[in-house]
Amino acid sequence: MKWTQTLIPTLREAPADAEIRSHKLLLRAGLIRKLAGGVYTFLPLGLRALRKVEQIVREEMDRAGAVEVLMPALQPPEIWQQSGRYETASNVLFKLKDSGNREWVLSPTAEEVITTLASNEINSYRQLPKNFYQISVKFRDEIRPRFGLMRAKEFIMKDAYSFDTTDENAMGSYKKMYDAYTRIFARCGLKAFPVEADTGVIGGNYSHEFMVPAETGENEVAFCEACGYAANIEKATSGIPKTAARDIGAAIEKFATPGVVTIEALSKAPYSVPANRQIKTLICIADSKPIIILIRGNDQLNETKLMAKTGAVAVRPATPDEIVPLLGAKPGSLGAVKNVPADLKVFADERLHGANDMTTGANEDGFHLKNVSIERDIQVSAWFDLRTVTAGEPCAKCGKPLKIRRAIEVGHVFKLGTKYSEKLNATFLDVDGSRKPSVMGCYGIGVTRTLQAIIEQCNDKDGIIWPMSTAPYQVCITPLAVAPESQAMQLAEKFYAELTAKGVEVILDDRDERPGVKFKDADLVGFPLRIALGEKSLAKGEVEIKPRDGAVQSVKIDDAVAAVWQRLPR
Ligand code: ATP
Ligand code: MG
C-alpha cells in the first residue's frame, strides 16, 4: 500500500475528550474517528489491525473445535421475554420499532438466538457437543460510553456458545475455551491473565474473566503472588478473621450521640468507639423492595456480591425519604435492633457472625446503642459474604497478603448450566430415551476492546508499538526523496515489490514530506519495522533498518530484503 493512496490522518494533538493513552493514540495515529459518543468509524489502518485480532480469534476458535455462524443483530423481543432478560438486561438493551410499529431489540449478546436455534436444530445426544461462535457487531446502551473503543455503544464481540449433554462435558468445553483464550491473548501480544469472576446478569455458576493489567482499567483485581489466586474484586474473598467475640456482656444501653452521623465521628472522642466495633446499617432497594444490610463499620459493602447472593437484579441505596418511614430515623442513626418491620429482610456480613459488644444506631435520631450482641439482639435473615476485600488482607488459600490492581476485562468465559436451555426449550433426547436440557456455556471476547488494550499496553512517548501479529502493516518503507527518478524512490519501489511478493505487509511512505514528519508518523502509527532510504546512507551503499522498539541498524542495499525477512515471524 502507498501512503498517499490510503487515508492515515495523523494528528499532533488528540481531541480533548480522549482521556486515556490508548484512546488518544487511536485517534492520533489515524486508526479511528468518532461519529458520536461511543460510536466509531474504523479507518483503513484501524480496520487492518482489527482484522488481525479477528483472525487470531477465528483461528483459535476453529482450532478449539468451535464452528462459525452469523446471527442477526436485529432480534425479536419475544425471545428476550422468554429468557427473562427483556427485564433484567433492560438497562443495556437498545429497543426500536419498525414502520409497522413492531418492536425489535439490537443484540448486546446472543444467548437467546443461539438457544432458539439449538432448540429447533438439535434433538439428539448424537448431535452434541456443539460450540457455535460468531464475530459480529453488538449494541449496548451504555450510560457512560468512554475511553474510545473500551466502552462503546456499538462494538465488535466474538461470542461463542457451547451445548453439552452433561455437566462434566460442559466443563470440558469450558476448559477448551479457557485454553483458547489464553492462546488468543498471547498471540495478540497481550499480557492477559484469568481471574475468578461474578456471573452477573448473564447468569450461570462458574466464570473467569481475562484481564489486562492497566492503570486505566475499569476493573479491580485482587491477586496473590504467592499462590496465584486472582479474582475480580466483585467476587474476591480473603482469609481475614471474623470480628473477635467478647464476653456477651451487659444488656443493651442507649446513649445520646447528638449530631453524630458517621462511623468516623462515633470513633472519635468523647465516644471513641473503634470502627471495627461498630455495625454499619445500610438500607438498599433491591428490585424495588427495601432490605437492611449490616456490615462492620470499617468494611465496605460490595454491591455485586449483594446482588449475586440475594439474586437481586438492581440494587440502589435507599433515599432518606424512603428510610425514615421504615425505621423512624435518618441515615446516621440506623440500626436493626429495634423498630424493624417484620417483613424487612436483614442481611448481615459473615464477618459479623458471633460479634458482640458492638455499637449501632438506635433508630432514633441522635442516639446509638452499645453492648449489642448481633446473634442475641438482631434478627438476621441470612448471613452472606458481602464485604469488599482490601489490599494486604491474607489470601484465603495461602495466607500471604493480597494485592489489588486495576485491569481491563478483554474476555469472559461462563459456565451457564441449563438456565437458557430450560427457558428456551433447548432439549435433546439422551441415550436412555429421556429428554434433557442441554448444558450450556458462553464465551465472549471484546474484539475492539482487545485492540485498544494492545495499544494501552504497547506504547511509548512517540506512539504505538504494535506487536508483529496485530500491526496494520509489518514494514514501513520510508524513502526520504520521492521523485520517481530518485535512487531512494526507485529502491523503495523495488523493496516494496519484493517484500510484497513474499507476502510481507508493507506500506510505502511516498509522501513528499520532510524526513522528520515521516519518521514521527511512522513511530506514531507504530509499524514494527522501518526501512529508511536517505541520501547519506545510500551514498555508502546502505539503508537503515529500525525496529520500532530497537536501535537503527545499517545494512547493505542488497541485503536489505533478507534482513527484513529475517526479522519477521515464520
Ligand atoms: P463490562 O463489565 O466491561 O461492562 P461485561 O461483563 O458486561 O463488560 P460481557 O457481557 O462479559 O461484558 O461481554 C464480553 C466482552 O465484551 C467483555 O469481556 C468485553 O471485552 C466486551 N465488552 C462488553 N461491553 C463492551 C462495551 N460497551 N464496549 C466494548 N467492549 C465491550
Ligand atoms: Mg463480563
Side-chain angles (χ1 to χ4, degrees):
M1 177 59 64
K2 306 286 171 64
W3 197 296
T4 55
Q5 187 189 341
T6 181
L7 178 68
I8 312 175
T10 56
L11 303 170
R12 287 285 151 257
E13 299 290 333
D17 62 349
E19 293 163 80
I20 65 172
R21 232 179 145 76
S22 52
H23 185 193
K24 288 182 182 160
L25 286 171
L26 276 165
L27 294 163
R28 288 191 53 214
L31 304 181
I32 62 166
R33 282 295 180 264
K34 175 169 137 181
L35 179 64
V39 180
Y40 292 88
T41 298
F42 277 82
L43 303 188
L45 291 198
L47 184 63
R48 285 186 69 95
L50 179 66
R51 293 281 183 253
K52 296 275 184 79
V53 177
E54 283 181 5
Q55 191 52 27
I56 291 172
V57 171
R58 184 171 279 119
E59 285 171 17
E60 292 299 336
M61 284 296 113
D62 292 346
R63 189 210 300 225
V67 285
E68 190 167 4
V69 294
L70 184 58
M71 292 176 261
L74 199 59
Q75 306 182 351
E78 289 76 16
I79 52 177
W80 286 82
Q81 275 146 358
Q82 225 178 319
S83 73
R85 287 207 296 182
Y86 190 77
E87 296 301 327
T88 58
S90 67
N91 55 332
V92 293
L93 213 49
F94 271 108
K95 296 170 185 164
L96 63 155
K97 287 204 169 146
D98 66 15
S99 52
N101 213 30
R102 188 195 191 303
E103 204 192 337
W104 297 88
V105 304
L106 291 178
S107 175
T109 156
E111 282 79 4
E112 282 74 6
V113 176
I114 200 73
T115 314
T116 302
L117 185 87
S119 150
N120 293 329
E121 308 300 332
I122 293 177
N123 192 40
S124 158
Y125 72 93
R126 288 197 185 89
Q127 293 168 281
L128 296 175
K130 282 279 179 299
N131 189 342
F132 301 106
Y133 79 95
Q134 65 172 347
I135 300 175
S136 67
V137 173
K138 304 293 187 296
F139 299 88
R140 291 191 185 182
D141 192 3
E142 302 281 358
I143 325 165
R144 267 193 83 201
R146 58 185 194 144
F147 299 159
L149 306 175
M150 289 287 186
R151 184 163 301 284
K153 282 184 184 271
E154 178 182 324
F155 58 98
I156 295 178
M157 192 205 287
K158 184 284 300 177
D159 41 330
Y161 307 89
S162 63
F163 295 83
D164 277 282
T165 51
T166 64
D167 217 51
E168 196 187 342
N169 292 345
M171 263 331 278
S173 297
Y174 183 94
K175 179 77 174 51
K176 272 191 199 155
M177 287 294 106
Y178 182 102
D179 292 343
Y181 276 35
T182 307
R183 282 196 301 271
I184 286 168
F185 296 120
R187 281 186 62 188
C188 285
L190 262 181
K191 287 186 202 79
F193 62 100
V195 308
E196 294 175 18
D198 176 61
T199 47
V201 88
I202 297 250
N205 47 18
Y206 190 72
S207 136
H208 286 89
E209 286 163 341
F210 284 76
M211 293 286 189
V212 173
E215 272 316 303
T216 52
E218 291 186 286
N219 291 267
E220 281 188 312
V221 170
F223 65 103
C224 173
E225 278 169 337
C227 74
Y229 169 76
N232 191 314
I233 199 84
E234 294 175 340
K235 159 110 185 182
T237 56
S238 79
I240 199 162
K242 294 212 165 40
T243 308
R246 297 181 176 176
D247 289 342
I248 261 277
I252 296 179
E253 200 181 301
K254 184 163 96 176
F255 62 109
T257 49
V260 170
V261 293
T262 62
I263 301 284
E264 202 197 345
L266 196 61
S267 70
K268 291 199 174 130
Y271 312 103
S272 304
V273 183
N276 64 8
R277 303 307 307 181
Q278 299 185 40
I279 301 173
K280 184 152 62 179
T281 307
L282 304 167
I283 318 298
C284 285
I285 307 294
D287 294 344
S288 65
K289 263 211 192 116
I291 53 173
I292 296 186
I293 295 119
L294 305 179
I295 61 171
R296 234 168 73 158
N298 57 340
D299 284 342
Q300 295 302 323
L301 171 68
N302 187 316
E303 273 195 15
T304 310
K305 285 186 181 177
L306 179 66
M307 289 162 76
K309 303 283 162 56
T310 60
V313 173
V315 170
R316 63 167 174 87
T319 62
D321 287 351
E322 290 167 322
I323 293 171
V324 175
L326 271 178
L327 293 179
K330 294 203 217 46
S333 304
L334 303 177
V337 175
K338 285 185 177 168
N339 306 335
V340 177
D343 59 344
L344 199 54
K345 285 230 162 24
V346 178
F347 299 120
D349 179 57
E350 274 166 0
R351 205 177 174 204
L352 284 171
H353 232 312
N356 49 21
D357 190 17
M358 301 295 284
T359 297
T360 188
N363 282 343
E364 191 178 336
D365 288 340
F367 289 91
H368 279 78
L369 303 175
K370 62 179 161 191
N371 303 334
V372 173
S373 165
I374 191 158
E375 322 260 349
R376 181 191 66 187
D377 303 322
I378 296 179
Q379 191 109 41
V380 174
S381 317
W383 297 90
F384 295 124
D385 166 29
L386 294 174
R387 64 183 289 280
T388 302
V389 161
T390 58
E393 289 176 17
C395 170
K397 287 195 173 155
C398 76
K400 293 277 167 12
L402 291 175
K403 291 190 171 172
I404 292 182
R405 71 173 154 204
R406 301 199 71 83
I408 301 162
E409 177 199 325
V410 284
H412 202 160
V413 290
F414 295 88
K415 189 163 158 287
L416 283 173
T418 54
K419 178 177 162 173
Y420 290 90
S421 46
E422 280 176 28
K423 289 200 166 131
L424 292 149
N425 203 29
T427 59
F428 65 95
L429 275 181
D430 210 347
V431 202
D432 61 5
S434 65
R435 190 160 277 284
K436 292 177 182 161
S438 299
V439 187
M440 290 176 61
C442 73
Y443 317 94
I445 290 183
V447 177
T448 39
R449 188 185 282 184
T450 298
L451 178 75
Q452 187 169 342
I454 296 170
I455 299 174
E456 188 68 20
Q457 206 169 64
C458 309
N459 68 75
D460 66 8
K461 63 173 185 13
D462 297 321
I464 304 168
I465 306 176
W466 283 109
M468 195 61 88
S469 61
T470 48
Y473 290 95
Q474 300 167 311
V475 180
C476 176
I477 303 178
T478 311
L480 300 183
V482 293
E485 67 286 355
S486 67
Q487 188 196 4
M489 194 58 179
Q490 286 190 354
L491 267 178
E493 293 276 13
K494 182 168 170 279
F495 292 164
Y496 178 79
E498 284 180 28
L499 287 167
T500 305
K502 281 170 167 290
V504 182
E505 297 165 359
V506 191
I507 184 158
L508 197 168
D509 188 353
D510 57 342
R511 292 176 300 167
D512 189 9
E513 284 283 1
R514 284 177 291 116
V517 171
K518 292 186 160 196
F519 288 148
K520 265 207 165 69
D521 277 350
D523 280 351
L524 175 59
V525 178
F527 305 108
L529 284 176
R530 188 181 72 203
I531 315 177
L533 301 98
E535 226 173 280
K536 267 194 211 146
S537 30
L538 288 177
K540 286 191 274 176
E542 291 175 344
V543 296
E544 289 181 339
I545 296 183
K546 184 181 177 303
R548 172 63 179 81
D549 58 350
V552 178
Q553 192 198 348
S554 293
V555 297
K556 291 277 165 242
I557 291 173
D558 287 346
D559 300 337
V561 169
V564 167
W565 183 247
Q566 210 181 33
R567 288 171 183 272
L568 295 172
R570 293 297 122 74

